[in-house]
Amino acid sequence: MNNRIILIGSTGFLGKNIANNFKKNLIKFNSKNLNLKKIHNIKKVATKFKNSTIIYAAGMKRTRGDNFQNFNLNLKLFNNLFGFFFENKPKKLIFLSSAEVYGFYKGKKKINENTNLKPVTMYSKSKMIQENIIKFFAPKIGYNYIILRLPGVFGKDFENQNVISKLVSALNKKKYFELKTSGNELRDYIYVNDVAKIIYKLSKKKLNNLILNLATGKSFKILQIIKYIEKNFKKKINIKKIKNKKNKEYNLKY
């Protein structure tokens, strides 16, 4: 039986932590050893996909620019790889999506996997399109899938792209944290090592064709998170409030 695991995007924030949980049978691909922009590069390794479990953690983050260029790039990278699944059918595909596919959710009920998708950013729209491709072709090609919709993920993020990383960085480096909303919107942040451990366990389980919201289930206001960090570090964070009507507020209630 083939227990080979293939991780696409092994050098990213999530990818590095996912890789640390696999001690054997893991093949790591990243932009240095597999250029997803070039079909002929993928073709050289495509036979490894057959009967493997593929974890897709690649793509351009929204924080790198929510524009058409990155929207198009994310779809191109995914589609170039996906095209080889027809002749090299994987056993399972674990795809890392985003809770942003729910858009500016303002409902009273908590978000669940059946909540309507209303993506408003180009990044989240690209995630929704990729999800639809996976679901549509699963019965036609014959692979199983698990789609994980992630909220904010925190950990040792050296790029300081998420809110918690920015807050801690502002506290330690005595910089300002730019608060571009009222701070009353609800968020759920999950620790990166927990995400990695869950993905490892899911790769071993016989759970198929699922869409899962991966979250702690406890949502907090940004202002609450700020107070919690200040309390634990026993330091005040310099907050710089920036008023911008374009910054719409939405809640992630799990």
Side-chain angles (χ1 to χ4, degrees), residues 6 10 21 54 119 135 141 150-151 163 171 203 209 215 217-218 232 245-247:
I6 295 176
S10 63
N21 281 267
I54 296 177
K135 291 184 289 183
I141 297 176
L150 305 178
V163 169
L171 187 148
S203 71
N209 302 338
K218 294 181 180 180
N232 277 269
K245 293 182 179 180
K246 293 182 179 180
N247 294 321

Side-chain angles (χ1 to χ4, degrees), residues 35-77:
N35 189 342
L36 294 179
K37 295 179 184 178
K38 299 181 179 179
I39 298 294
H40 67 273
N41 279 10
I42 305 172
K43 189 175 181 178
K44 292 178 182 179
V45 300
T47 55
K48 296 182 185 294
F49 303 157
K50 193 170 183 180
N51 296 322
S52 296
T53 294
I54 296 177
I55 302 169
Y56 190 84
M60 190 69 70
K61 299 178 182 178
R62 177 177 55 79
T63 49
R64 294 285 185 88
D66 188 43
N67 50 50
F68 181 76
Q69 183 180 0
N70 288 337
F71 167 86
N72 193 42
L73 177 61
N74 280 333
L75 291 181
K76 181 179 180 179
L77 299 179

Side-chain angles (χ1 to χ4, degrees), residues 95-142:
F95 178 75
L96 305 192
S97 187
S98 169
E100 287 189 35
V101 295
Y102 297 114
F104 295 138
Y105 181 74
K106 294 185 178 180
K108 294 182 179 179
K109 295 181 179 180
K110 290 185 177 182
I111 290 172
N112 60 47
E113 288 79 2
N114 295 318
T115 300
N116 291 334
L117 305 188
K118 295 181 180 179
V120 294
T121 63
M122 292 191 187
Y123 171 77
S124 58
K125 286 185 179 182
S126 72
K127 286 293 186 183
M128 185 182 71
I129 292 170
Q130 290 169 81
E131 283 190 19
N132 288 336
I133 290 171
I134 291 168
K135 291 184 289 183
F136 180 80
F137 284 103
K140 300 178 185 300
I141 297 176

